[in-house]
Amino acid sequence: MSTPPVLSLALPSDTGRVLSIQSHTVQGYVGNKSAVFPLQLLGYDVDPINSVQFSNHTGYPTFKGQVLNGEQLWELIEGLEANDLLFYTHLLTGYIGSVSFLNTILEVINKLRSVNPNLTYVCDPVMGDEGKLYVPEELVHVYREKVVPLASMLTPNQFEAEKLTGLRINSEEDGREACAILHAAGPSKVVITSITIGGLLLLIGSHQKEKGQKPEQFKILIDKIPAYFTGTGDLMTALLLGWSNKYPESLDKAAELAVSTLQALLRRTLDDYKRAGYDPTSSSLEIRLIQSQDDIRNPNVELKAERYR
């Protein structure tokens, strides 16, 4: 008997087919557990490769599990290639803990683009936050010199944008300049997902539609929620991929939708922990992803983007 066709290839969706290379936890929502479900709800076929498989996220007192190395990642790619399964419209990557694995990611990008030259690569350059680096220092160099030039969209936080550009971000103008530096290095779309300036929390986005052209830039002022959550960066990048592909010329609209989903989900998470009698300020919280699926599909946009002149 002949092998039946893969329907996501034979009858592709209007949205796309995503290869997502991120971490995985058995319990809780971080990495692929935080990214795959929302993308599927938004209509994407998503194939996850789990860079790690842990019992739970590393914020718990203990965790157990396995780590995928670069050679094992490449074996999976070779298996897909041997069966003509390597056509993807999007590649999504998140936390990567070693230089060797990141170098294999570079090979994966080149391999996928040899199959589909129009592949969109969405990169969340997870390196640290709030002044603290939590990956080896040498990863910063690989991201800056090799990964950023290949990215279509980049979603760093404030600290990561500073590490990639060498620019301290102390103002909105600095944030906009950091985006311009990153555009010059490669990606046409840059979203600095969280910047704290003068006690305010905001997102700054930038879309350079043609090389050398002045980018369209905007900001969204975000309501601060008094708690710490896991998996929010992974979710945010997945939502930005999902909505920016639906609105390719309107990154500000995509960001409004992504931020609105995230804010609704975080408020629900906070309320549910309080209902369970738990002090939500005492530790990091697991997000209520499944319970927020209506907010993922049809977010109520309360926070609007403001374009810079």
Side-chain angles (χ1 to χ4, degrees):
M1 293 179 64
S2 62
T3 304
V6 177
L7 291 179
S8 63
L9 290 172
L11 303 171
S13 68
D14 292 335
T15 46
R17 187 166 185 256
V18 181
L19 180 64
S20 180
I21 305 176
Q22 301 196 60
S23 57
H24 170 85
T25 57
V26 176
Q27 194 281 326
Y29 296 96
V30 298
N32 270 332
K33 283 283 290 288
S34 192
V36 173
F37 178 65
L39 283 169
Q40 289 171 329
L41 284 178
L42 292 176
Y44 294 81
D45 286 303
V46 188
D47 291 349
I49 292 179
N50 298 325
S51 57
V52 306
Q53 176 163 271
F54 289 161
S55 55
N56 44 266
H57 72 70
T58 57
Y60 282 86
T62 186
F63 65 94
K64 300 285 186 179
Q66 303 82 37
V67 177
L68 196 73
N69 62 37
E71 186 177 330
Q72 291 165 328
L73 169 61
W74 194 249
E75 282 180 9
L76 294 172
I77 298 299
E78 287 180 327
L80 291 168
E81 183 179 31
N83 293 292
D84 293 325
L85 299 173
L86 265 191
F87 185 91
Y88 290 96
T89 58
H90 295 78
L91 171 66
L92 172 62
T93 62
Y95 174 77
I96 294 164
S98 71
V99 170
S100 63
F101 197 88
L102 189 54
N103 280 327
T104 307
I105 291 287
L106 293 169
E107 295 179 45
V108 172
I109 298 165
N110 290 329
K111 174 65 74 174
L112 295 180
R113 284 193 168 142
S114 72
V115 178
N116 176 17
N118 296 318
L119 175 89
T120 296
Y121 172 34
V122 178
C123 173
D124 183 4
V126 181
M127 295 183 289
D129 200 7
E130 296 179 348
K132 183 181 178 183
L133 195 68
Y134 42 67
V135 296
E137 181 70 45
E138 55 264 35
L139 249 76
V140 179
H141 174 78
V142 179
Y143 268 116
R144 186 190 298 128
E145 302 300 323
K146 296 181 179 180
V147 179
V148 170
L150 296 178
S152 311
M153 178 192 289
L154 202 66
T155 62
N157 59 31
Q158 180 174 358
F159 174 73
E160 291 156 353
E162 290 177 340
K163 296 296 283 186
L164 291 173
T165 61
L167 178 71
R168 287 300 303 272
I169 300 175
N170 296 313
S171 66
E172 291 182 38
E173 203 56 50
D174 292 339
R176 297 175 66 189
E177 176 61 23
C179 290
I181 293 170
L182 292 168
H183 284 316
S188 61
K189 295 179 180 178
V190 178
V191 179
I192 305 178
T193 54
S194 60
I195 300 178
T196 301
I197 297 171
L200 298 175
L201 180 65
L202 62 149
L203 170 153
I204 290 181
S206 187
H207 185 189
Q208 186 179 50
K209 296 184 176 181
E210 298 288 342
K211 272 293 178 191
Q213 189 181 79
K214 183 181 177 182
E216 295 178 0
Q217 297 185 319
F218 62 90
K219 67 177 177 180
I220 300 176
L221 195 62
I222 302 171
D223 297 333
K224 280 189 175 181
I225 295 177
Y228 178 76
F229 305 86
T230 57
T232 54
D234 308 317
L235 172 59
M236 183 65 179
T237 296
L239 292 170
L240 284 168
L241 184 163
W243 288 116
S244 66
N245 190 54
K246 290 173 182 282
Y247 299 100
E249 297 302 313
S250 302
L251 184 59
D252 52 348
K253 182 175 179 63
E256 286 176 349
L257 291 160
V259 168
S260 298
T261 289
L262 188 59
Q263 289 293 102
L265 178 146
L266 296 183
R267 285 194 295 267
R268 176 174 291 102
T269 300
L270 197 67
D271 290 345
D272 284 356
Y273 272 102
K274 289 177 180 177
R275 285 200 303 127
Y278 184 77
D279 177 6
T281 62
S282 60
S283 65
S284 60
L285 309 179
E286 299 270 17
I287 58 175
R288 298 286 273 172
L289 189 68
I290 305 304
Q291 295 74 14
S292 302
Q293 55 190 286
D294 289 343
D295 294 306
I296 294 168
R297 285 197 192 96
N298 298 297
N300 178 29
V301 176
E302 296 177 350
L303 302 177
K304 303 291 287 184
E306 179 185 336
R307 288 201 179 189
Y308 292 107
R309 299 289 179 193

